[in-house]
Amino acid sequence: MVTVEQAEELILNNAGDYGAEIILFNESLGRVLAETIKADRDLPPFNRVSMDGIAIKFADFEQGIKTFKIIGIQAAGDAPVNATQPGECVEIMTGAALPGAVDTVIRYEDLEISDGKATLQIGDIKKGQNIHFRGADRREGDIVLTPGRVITPAVISMVASVGETELRVKRKPRVVIVSSGDELVDVAAKPSPYQIRRSNNYMVKAVLAGLGIDAAMVHIPDEPEAIKSTLQQCLVNFDVLLLSGGISMGKFDYIPQVLKDLQFEQIFHKVQQRPGKPFWFGKHENGVVVFAFPGNPVATFMCTQRYFIPWLNKTLGAESKPAVYAALNEDIAFEPALQYFLQVKLSFGDDGRLFATPVEGNGSGDFANLADTDAFMELPLNKNEFKKGEVYRVWMFNQQ
Amino acid sequence: MVTVEQAEELILNNAGDYGAEIILFNESLGRVLAETIKADRDLPPFNRVSMDGIAIKFADFEQGIKTFKIIGIQAAGDAPVNATQPGECVEIMTGAALPGAVDTVIRYEDLEISDGKATLQIGDIKKGQNIHFRGADRREGDIVLTPGRVITPAVISMVASVGETELRVKRKPRVVIVSSGDELVDVAAKPSPYQIRRSNNYMVKAVLAGLGIDAAMVHIPDEPEAIKSTLQQCLVNFDVLLLSGGISMGKFDYIPQVLKDLQFEQIFHKVQQRPGKPFWFGKHENGVVVFAFPGNPVATFMCTQRYFIPWLNKTLGAESKPAVYAALNEDIAFEPALQYFLQVKLSFGDDGRLFATPVEGNGSGDFANLADTDAFMELPLNKNEFKKGEVYRVWMFNQQ
């Protein structure tokens, strides 16, 4: 039996790398960038007017000129209209490139315009105002994005602005979700009084869908030969096997033995935690990784969040997310010498504090309350009593 | 000009309702439930064994029996094997339905088994241990999910377990993103020295994709007739028009006038905020809603997060998300009488506090830093100086 920290370390030491692929930039949301993106021009590429109004020479204003002759109008996208003579101005629009002869922009709200002339209505003007200067944000050739960047809408905007129509992103692993257990029937089926419906596989598939992974699903019966032939096929067609069930002490828990027969190396079996103690993790010599989670829904969900997602992020080279901490909102006691992952609902106090309120059911088999929670709180192993106000790390779920 | 609060109220008062549709439960991630889901049987549906081991009568243990004769083995999914005589037990697996004659489960770890007999290795046994009792989580007919529920992986698991293969969910609005401005060229094009590439539309499309909305895109030139004919078509084919640009004081900002010509009612124009002051909001008599955001990328992004997403959530009847507050991590000063939305990067202290560190660029036109932030902090209107440690509301982005 390993500790949670040991399990995490062993899992991260077995992160994979499935290479990279080129995709369209506008289909890259959520992917992990596998190249460096540079600015192809200065950002902004010119002295960009940021208010509608007129552009003047500040020296004119300093010399007491208050009324300017409008010698032309310049829309965004137009070539610059120069106003070179004293007292001249250009009527100019947001987004336009500031002409070289002028240096200051006065917005319409601060002007009165009539007979082709604009008169200042304010006396407080700063040189260079309402201009977003060329290269103020980035210089041509500057690195704007680096490998490992998770692609968000703002990243897509940046990529578009520098003209990258295609992006090199990390390739995702091919994942199959393997459910097991003869007591499980299909969702559409009518279970016998001693059966229940399969649900873990759909839950894990949804978690992975939220991560952009379209996982396959397969169900195996509690029968060693059938398990063996199915897993053998999976070994050929997938990079990751996510199993749920069949790995405890039960007489019909054949999976660990079958995995060994198939030349998977067991990296660990059992973690000092609740839920999820029977968790089995291993790897095949061909590189295929197996996460075999216990069959109870809360354990499967918790292990997916706590172990699979960090493995995936490391595998994709994604920038790591900062740890989140919350204050326990109720006293909790927990006896066994296991790391306890408490189901909690998070809330933000208006003092900026994050609170975690336990939403506990009837032990790890209960998933009826799981839908009401949004994180697991990882309580330390070396304590049995946890007081309201104490702060511990929480693992927020990927909800979509 | 309206305040941020007034703008929000006016927008939410114009939330729509696009009805409901039936979809497969396993394709419902992120959708909003439009029906009540009840448990079709007790959860668990039987007294469910939660450890592998043996099932005994507690009365036998109380009478001093330590060694039990194994009279049968029962896997999960099997019909119950009864052990009615004193000193009898059933070898039983996790997930099995507890037979009526027994009431307590001892796990393998606490047993020694040989010659068809199981001998207890521990003296501390509680009646009913290692059993998840029928109906402990939910009773048949209990409501497990209500309309407005956003469908998460845990919700999908719950829906599967009660056998709902199809779900009634809220129908999403049809959205078109309309970019405008003659200075904008396509991402693949080579911009002239006075042009820039379109990026706002892709950014907004990505935000909407993360919300499960596949928005259409169209670009209009700064030309009143072209604007009119395009918007007229949009009016027929879409429920929501998200415009970016063309609504300021500029000579070529024809959009507000065209919208009026098309019989859109202006509900407000201009909000006392930075960025995003020129924001125009209105509605057509046929119900089509227009969010016309200013063209600068940060303003478009902020207004999408702060106004469109709450409108969408109300429109879909989604349960509201709790407000999030964070402590400002630096002093900030802001002069104008506008509500300032500060770009911030969030971090969690190990004391459970959420901190917001300003990541500011060069005013609202700068989006080069937007990709490095994960929220806007909404600073109050009635102050100019904001001190480190002060706590204000933040709007975390939908990042995927």
Side-chain angles (χ1 to χ4, degrees):
Chain A
M1 190 143 69
V2 296
T3 65
V4 168
E5 288 67 31
Q6 288 165 341
E8 180 181 33
E9 193 185 339
L10 289 166
I11 287 168
L12 294 181
N13 285 346
N14 284 284
D17 186 345
Y18 305 101
E21 61 186 329
I22 308 279
I23 61 170
L24 291 172
F25 86 99
N26 55 343
E27 293 175 0
S28 68
L29 185 65
R31 299 299 293 270
V32 177
L33 195 63
E35 63 175 324
T36 297
I37 303 290
K38 294 182 178 180
D40 71 324
R41 37 197 322 225
D42 291 341
L43 290 178
F46 42 78
N47 294 331
R48 188 181 172 278
V49 172
S50 63
M51 285 283 177
D52 305 307
I54 61 166
I56 64 163
K57 295 177 283 295
F58 188 72
D60 284 357
F61 169 75
E62 281 185 315
Q63 281 159 30
I65 299 177
K66 299 272 184 259
T67 296
F68 295 83
K69 184 183 172 205
I70 300 171
I71 60 134
I73 185 160
Q74 185 189 334
D78 285 354
V81 174
N82 261 322
T84 48
Q85 299 304 310
E88 288 183 350
C89 76
V90 182
E91 200 171 343
I92 201 159
M93 303 306 139
T94 301
L98 189 78
V102 289
D103 55 20
T104 300
V105 173
I106 325 285
R107 52 182 202 159
Y108 279 129
E109 291 91 328
D110 301 330
L111 298 171
E112 196 174 280
I113 296 184
S114 63
D115 295 334
K117 291 191 172 110
T119 304
L120 303 187
Q121 303 298 302
I122 52 167
D124 180 23
I125 288 170
K126 289 186 193 74
K127 185 175 180 179
Q129 71 178 25
N130 299 324
I131 298 161
H132 189 185
F133 285 98
R134 175 174 180 162
D137 297 338
R138 295 288 187 277
R139 284 286 177 191
E140 182 181 331
D142 277 359
I143 290 173
V144 293
L145 297 164
T146 50
R149 201 58 194 263
V150 177
I151 297 173
T152 61
V155 168
I156 286 178
S157 170
M158 170 61 80
V159 160
S161 72
V162 299
E164 298 277 354
T165 54
E166 294 181 325
L167 293 178
R168 188 176 184 81
V169 298
K170 294 298 284 186
R171 211 182 269 280
K172 294 178 284 196
R174 299 163 301 166
V175 180
V176 60
I177 298 161
V178 184
S179 53
S180 70
D182 287 346
E183 77 278 25
L184 299 178
V185 300
D186 194 62
V187 175
K190 179 87 195 147
S192 81
Y194 318 120
Q195 293 179 315
I196 59 172
R197 296 186 185 93
R198 263 194 287 286
S199 60
N200 278 1
N201 50 341
Y202 294 107
M203 177 172 64
V204 175
K205 189 172 164 66
V207 172
L208 269 61
L211 300 166
I213 292 178
D214 183 19
M217 292 202 294
V218 63
H219 186 76
I220 51 179
D222 289 334
E223 202 280 296
E225 280 311 307
I227 296 174
K228 192 167 179 177
S229 73
T230 302
L231 294 186
Q232 220 153 10
Q233 283 186 340
C234 290
L235 192 50
V236 176
N237 295 320
F238 298 97
D239 302 309
V240 180
L241 280 51
L242 292 184
L243 279 69
S244 170
I247 51 157
S248 296
M249 300 281 287
K251 273 281 161 69
F252 311 105
D253 289 349
Y254 302 114
I255 289 174
Q257 186 55 50
V258 171
L259 289 169
K260 279 181 194 164
D261 294 347
L262 289 172
Q263 312 300 323
F264 278 92
E265 180 203 352
Q266 174 186 310
I267 293 171
F268 63 75
H269 188 191
K270 294 186 183 167
V271 181
Q272 211 174 340
Q273 64 183 4
R274 178 177 294 173
K277 186 173 149 198
F279 175 22
W280 189 105
F281 177 73
K283 194 175 186 176
H284 195 268
E285 58 182 11
N286 77 355
V288 171
V289 172
V290 175
F291 294 79
F293 300 137
N296 92 57
V298 180
T300 296
F301 189 69
M302 187 282 277
C303 288
T304 302
Q305 301 285 343
R306 179 67 180 86
Y307 300 107
F308 174 72
I309 293 178
W311 177 89
L312 179 68
N313 286 337
K314 183 158 183 214
T315 289
L316 297 177
E319 53 205 348
S320 59
K321 286 189 184 160
V324 177
Y325 299 87
L328 192 57
N329 219 4
E330 278 176 23
D331 294 353
I332 283 283
F334 180 72
E335 287 291 328
L338 297 171
Q339 191 120 24
Y340 189 35
F341 285 86
L342 183 69
Q343 296 177 57
V344 295
K345 177 113 192 132
L346 299 176
S347 59
F348 284 88
D350 57 12
D351 61 349
R353 288 254 285 179
L354 183 55
F355 295 98
T357 303
V359 182
E360 278 291 90
N362 302 284
S364 63
D366 172 30
F367 66 103
N369 294 313
L370 191 59
D372 297 325
T373 64
D374 26 45
F376 288 102
M377 176 170 263
E378 186 171 337
L379 297 174
L381 193 55
N382 56 356
K383 289 181 67 173
N384 293 325
E385 302 213 339
F386 309 94
K387 295 292 177 194
K388 179 175 174 166
E390 291 174 1
V391 177
Y392 301 107
R393 185 161 184 187
V394 291
W395 296 81
M396 293 170 75
F397 308 154
N398 278 70
Q399 292 282 28
Q400 280 185 31
Chain B
M1 190 143 68
V2 296
T3 64
V4 169
E5 288 65 33
Q6 288 164 340
E8 179 180 31
E9 193 184 339
L10 289 165
I11 287 168
L12 295 181
N13 286 345
N14 284 284
D17 186 346
Y18 304 101
E21 61 186 331
I22 308 279
I23 61 170
L24 291 173
F25 85 99
N26 54 342
E27 294 174 1
S28 67
L29 185 66
R31 300 297 294 269
V32 177
L33 195 63
E35 63 174 326
T36 297
I37 303 289
K38 294 182 179 179
D40 71 324
R41 36 194 326 222
D42 291 340
L43 290 178
F46 42 77
N47 294 331
R48 188 180 172 281
V49 172
S50 63
M51 285 284 178
D52 305 307
I54 61 167
I56 64 163
K57 296 178 284 291
F58 188 71
D60 283 356
F61 170 74
E62 281 186 312
Q63 281 158 30
I65 299 178
K66 299 273 183 258
T67 297
F68 295 82
K69 184 183 170 204
I70 300 170
I71 61 134
I73 185 159
Q74 185 189 333
D78 285 354
V81 175
N82 260 323
T84 49
Q85 298 304 310
E88 287 183 350
C89 76
V90 180
E91 200 170 343
I92 201 160
M93 303 305 137
T94 301
L98 190 77
V102 290
D103 55 21
T104 299
V105 172
I106 325 288
R107 54 182 199 158
Y108 279 128
E109 291 91 326
D110 301 329
L111 297 171
E112 195 174 283
I113 297 185
S114 63
D115 295 333
K117 289 189 171 117
T119 302
L120 304 187
Q121 304 297 302
I122 53 165
D124 179 23
I125 288 169
K126 289 187 193 74
K127 187 175 179 179
Q129 73 179 25
N130 299 324
I131 299 162
H132 190 185
F133 284 98
R134 175 174 179 160
D137 297 337
R138 295 290 188 276
R139 285 285 177 191
E140 182 181 331
D142 276 359
I143 291 172
V144 293
L145 297 163
T146 50
R149 199 61 193 261
V150 177
I151 298 174
T152 61
V155 168
I156 286 178
S157 170
M158 170 62 80
V159 160
S161 71
V162 300
E164 299 278 352
T165 54
E166 293 181 327
L167 293 178
R168 189 178 183 79
V169 297
K170 294 298 283 187
R171 211 183 270 278
K172 294 178 285 197
R174 297 164 302 167
V175 180
V176 60
I177 299 161
V178 185
S179 52
S180 69
D182 287 345
E183 78 277 26
L184 300 178
V185 301
D186 195 63
V187 175
K190 179 86 195 149
S192 82
Y194 319 120
Q195 294 180 315
I196 58 171
R197 297 187 184 91
R198 264 195 285 288
S199 60
N200 279 0
N201 50 343
Y202 293 108
M203 178 171 64
V204 175
K205 189 171 164 66
V207 172
L208 269 60
L211 299 166
I213 292 177
D214 184 19
M217 292 202 293
V218 64
H219 185 77
I220 50 179
D222 290 334
E223 202 282 295
E225 280 311 306
I227 296 174
K228 192 167 180 178
S229 74
T230 301
L231 294 185
Q232 221 153 8
Q233 282 187 340
C234 290
L235 193 49
V236 177
N237 296 320
F238 297 97
D239 303 307
V240 181
L241 279 50
L242 291 185
L243 278 68
S244 170
I247 51 157
S248 295
M249 299 283 285
K251 274 280 161 70
F252 311 104
D253 289 348
Y254 302 116
I255 289 174
Q257 188 55 50
V258 172
L259 289 168
K260 277 180 194 164
D261 294 348
L262 289 172
Q263 312 300 323
F264 278 91
E265 180 202 352
Q266 174 187 309
I267 294 171
F268 63 75
H269 188 189
K270 294 186 184 167
V271 181
Q272 210 174 340
Q273 64 183 5
R274 179 177 293 172
K277 185 172 151 197
F279 175 23
W280 189 103
F281 178 74
K283 194 175 183 175
H284 197 267
E285 57 182 13
N286 78 355
V288 171
V289 173
V290 175
F291 293 79
F293 300 138
N296 92 56
V298 179
T300 296
F301 189 68
M302 188 282 275
C303 288
T304 302
Q305 301 286 343
R306 179 67 181 85
Y307 300 107
F308 174 72
I309 293 179
W311 177 90
L312 180 68
N313 286 337
K314 185 162 181 209
T315 288
L316 297 176
E319 54 205 349
S320 59
K321 284 188 186 163
V324 177
Y325 298 88
L328 192 57
N329 220 5
E330 279 176 21
D331 294 353
I332 282 283
F334 181 72
E335 286 292 329
L338 297 171
Q339 190 120 23
Y340 189 34
F341 286 86
L342 183 69
Q343 298 178 55
V344 295
K345 177 111 193 134
L346 299 176
S347 59
F348 284 88
D350 56 12
D351 62 349
R353 289 253 285 179
L354 183 56
F355 294 97
T357 303
V359 183
E360 279 292 270
N362 304 284
S364 62
D366 171 30
F367 66 102
N369 294 312
L370 191 59
D372 298 324
T373 65
D374 28 44
F376 288 104
M377 175 170 263
E378 187 171 337
L379 297 174
L381 194 53
N382 56 355
K383 289 181 69 173
N384 293 326
E385 302 214 338
F386 310 94
K387 295 292 177 194
K388 177 174 173 166
E390 291 175 1
V391 177
Y392 301 106
R393 185 161 183 189
V394 291
W395 296 81
M396 294 169 75
F397 309 153
N398 278 69
Q399 291 282 30
Q400 283 187 25

